[in-house]
Amino acid sequence: MKVAVVGYPNVGKSSLVNRLTQSREAVVHERAGITRDRKELSTDWNGRSFTLIDTGGVALEDDDPLSVSIQDQARAALADAQVALFVVDARAGMRPGDAEIADILRKGNVPIVVAANKIDSPNDLMLVHDFHALGLGEPVAVSAAQGLGTGDLLDKLVELLPEDDEISDDPDEVVRLALIGRPNVGKSSLVNAFLGFERVIVSDVAGTTRDAIDTPIMVEDRKLILVDTAGIRRQAKVTESVEYYTTLRSQRAAERADVALVVCDAQDGITSQDLRIAELAMKSGCATALVLNKWDLTGGDGDPLGPGGGIGPEELDRERRRVNNKLRLRPRVLTASAMTGRHISRLLTEALSIADRARHRIPTPELNKFLGEVVQQRQPPSKQGHRLKLLYISQIGENPPRFAIQINSRQRITRDYAYFVENRLRERYGLDGVPVIIDFVERKNRSRTERMA
């Protein structure tokens, strides 16, 4: 069940959403217009669970293309909701735009609750009466800042919500996919290309997306949740608090995702900042691949589908070798174009495949056969005349995959040989871009009594 939260810019919608969900997920800033996309946050009250859709402020008199997109997103949120929560600024009083928004809500054919925000003390209660003129019923006096009246508001919302007959999803089956990257590399355009319609606002202004937005999608009869994130900028350029919090949102999105696609601008190639963002995802334990978006603008092809001008197979191979040398997880480098739709479905298929490989458990006999081949391929190192022995391997965890290798002496293992074993594991079992943990466990010498038993 969903509640669409709409209203004039800067009336405190995001602050109220944070208060009702007891979180800080929605970006709050004193500047109007910070929330631009729909953001969905779950909450519960009196045993009922539902989702609040935080929308951008609707300024109907503004013809700016971005403002028009925000209006369209608010209308789309209403179409997806069972109840509308219309937030007004009680201190500012009735505005002409409030009446226009009320007219739109009446056409939405869903129950409407008016929340008169910024009633921070009992002395402010008289300010609520102005909003009876909207003709939408009794306004509920609330204070997002103080928390006053929020219980009454939640009671009213839950009362209007229809009975929820949805079945919860099995978290082991759902794949969470985060799109992360520098600002303006086309993350939101990719989300829209995945979905086939404009779910996320796309603008050529860098940094349009401020929040991480979760959107479910079905791919090959499987549920995948897209997490579109705010662009990550180099720390030296994070001069505004909005950008600072945007970076935190992106990091948090990577931490709760199963797979991250690091979106890069194909015209720039894979930059050092792109590599740092990939490292961020990998340190979060997230399986990762890099995507060169805007491939149509390079004139290149770079894959078996055929040769192209501009950036071609040789340049793409060079980028892939650079990624393999720089990033320990050796993630795949894919090409796509959100504009033309090129390879869009392949990206989603690859994301599911990476997630499956990260969750897969390899049989122990197969692993030990592999271990024998590794030792034959390259003899383990020796120190002071004593050689390292790899005795036994088993998988002890998944997502990310974790392996335990019993050895005769930890002192004889070298970082170089440990990386060699890890890379062979990736090659054999398709674990490119998947965090792999290997525990080298020293087998203790058994006592004479144990050996004779």
Side-chain angles (χ1 to χ4, degrees):
M1 296 293 103
K2 295 183 179 180
V3 176
V5 185
V6 300
Y8 212 82
N10 216 29
V11 296
K13 295 185 298 299
S14 295
S15 296
L16 186 58
V17 167
N18 283 342
R19 174 67 68 174
L20 296 179
T21 59
Q22 297 182 327
S23 74
R24 293 184 180 178
E25 287 291 328
V27 175
V28 177
H29 199 271
E30 62 187 8
R31 187 195 312 160
I34 290 300
T35 303
R36 296 169 180 178
D37 284 306
R38 306 201 309 273
K39 180 174 177 62
E40 300 187 4
L41 295 171
S42 298
T43 189
D44 60 84
W45 183 254
N46 289 341
R48 294 291 306 277
S49 297
F50 58 97
T51 300
L52 292 170
I53 311 175
D54 186 21
T55 66
V58 182
L60 294 170
E61 75 283 0
D62 197 337
D63 294 329
D64 176 76
L66 186 57
S67 295
V68 173
S69 291
I70 293 171
Q71 294 169 31
D72 291 341
Q73 290 291 324
R75 290 187 177 95
L78 287 169
D80 194 29
Q82 286 72 46
V83 175
L85 175 57
F86 181 17
V87 184
V88 294
D89 185 339
R91 289 186 180 176
M94 277 276 291
R95 310 183 197 185
D98 290 333
E100 292 185 49
I101 295 171
D103 288 338
I104 293 174
L105 291 175
R106 288 191 191 92
K107 298 173 184 176
N109 199 29
V110 295
I112 304 161
V113 177
V114 178
N117 191 26
K118 304 185 183 180
I119 303 293
D120 297 333
S121 74
N123 296 331
D124 298 329
L125 284 172
M126 295 297 293
L127 302 174
V128 174
H129 298 306
D130 288 351
F131 298 96
H132 283 96
L134 292 171
L136 298 176
E138 182 74 26
V140 180
V142 295
S143 169
Q146 306 294 333
L148 302 174
T150 52
D152 293 338
L153 177 60
L154 286 166
D155 283 341
K156 195 161 187 177
L157 292 174
V158 167
E159 179 185 333
L160 293 172
L161 283 171
E163 289 300 319
D164 188 0
D165 57 357
E166 293 184 4
I167 300 173
S168 61
D169 296 300
D170 182 354
D172 292 331
E173 293 297 323
V174 176
V175 174
R176 300 188 67 86
L177 171 62
L179 301 183
I180 62 177
R182 294 178 291 118
N184 220 28
V185 293
K187 298 183 298 298
S188 296
S189 296
L190 276 177
V191 171
N192 290 336
F194 289 157
L195 296 167
F197 65 94
E198 290 205 358
R199 169 62 178 81
V200 178
I201 292 173
V202 178
S203 170
D204 56 8
V205 178
T208 298
T209 306
R210 300 289 190 184
D211 281 315
I213 301 166
D214 290 3
T215 307
I217 181 174
M218 295 301 293
V219 181
E220 300 175 358
D221 296 325
R222 295 178 61 184
K223 185 171 182 179
L224 187 149
I225 296 178
L226 299 173
V227 181
D228 177 44
T229 67
I232 302 174
R233 293 187 175 175
R234 291 175 59 183
Q235 201 63 33
K237 294 184 179 179
V238 181
T239 56
E240 294 186 65
S241 61
V242 173
E243 296 294 348
Y244 170 74
Y245 286 116
T246 289
T247 303
L248 293 183
R249 300 292 189 276
S250 299
Q251 291 172 336
R252 195 176 302 166
E255 288 169 0
R256 61 192 178 89
D258 301 302
V259 179
L261 293 182
V262 180
V263 184
C264 315
D265 190 328
Q267 299 172 98
D268 301 333
I270 298 171
T271 67
S272 57
Q273 179 67 359
D274 295 330
L275 294 173
R276 280 192 289 271
I277 292 169
E279 291 254 5
L280 179 151
M282 294 168 184
K283 288 179 180 177
S284 301
C286 194
T288 307
L290 281 76
V291 179
L292 286 166
N293 188 30
K294 306 183 186 178
W295 195 247
D296 56 297
L297 300 179
T298 69
D301 202 301
D303 62 20
L305 295 179
I311 295 178
E314 291 183 5
E315 290 80 1
L316 183 58
D317 286 344
R318 189 159 50 243
E319 290 287 81
R320 285 171 171 157
R321 286 194 299 270
R322 180 165 167 262
V323 167
N324 281 346
N325 290 333
K326 294 285 187 179
L327 298 176
R328 178 176 171 180
L329 268 62
R330 299 189 171 187
R332 292 193 65 190
V333 178
L334 311 169
T335 62
S337 169
M339 183 66 67
T340 66
R342 168 195 170 96
H343 293 166
I344 293 302
S345 61
R346 189 176 77 172
L347 293 183
L348 293 173
T349 302
E350 179 65 19
L352 290 173
S353 178
I354 296 173
D356 287 343
R357 293 195 295 271
R359 295 171 175 177
H360 180 60
R361 182 170 282 273
I362 305 166
T364 300
E366 185 178 332
L367 281 172
N368 281 283
K369 180 182 177 183
F370 156 79
L371 190 65
E373 293 172 2
V374 167
V375 171
Q376 282 190 345
Q377 185 178 355
R378 178 176 168 183
Q379 282 293 312
S382 61
K383 288 185 179 180
Q384 299 175 340
H386 297 283
R387 188 170 296 280
L388 171 70
K389 292 182 180 179
L390 307 185
L391 305 170
Y392 183 81
I393 182 174
S394 61
Q395 185 174 353
I396 59 174
E398 61 272 330
N399 201 25
R402 186 166 194 153
F403 303 90
I405 300 179
Q406 292 191 6
I407 58 177
N408 60 336
S409 173
R410 282 189 58 84
Q411 293 181 342
R412 295 170 197 163
I413 189 73
T414 63
R415 176 175 293 187
D416 180 60
Y417 198 78
Y419 283 170
F420 169 74
V421 175
E422 180 181 321
N423 289 333
R424 296 295 80 75
L425 262 172
R426 293 190 192 286
E427 290 175 4
R428 173 65 65 86
Y429 298 108
L431 298 175
D432 295 338
V434 176
V436 171
I437 304 168
I438 302 177
D439 299 325
F440 290 94
V441 182
E442 183 174 325
R443 175 181 284 183
K444 301 298 183 182
N445 289 327
R446 293 180 296 171
S447 68
R448 182 178 179 185
T449 303
E450 290 176 316
R451 289 197 300 268
M452 293 175 65

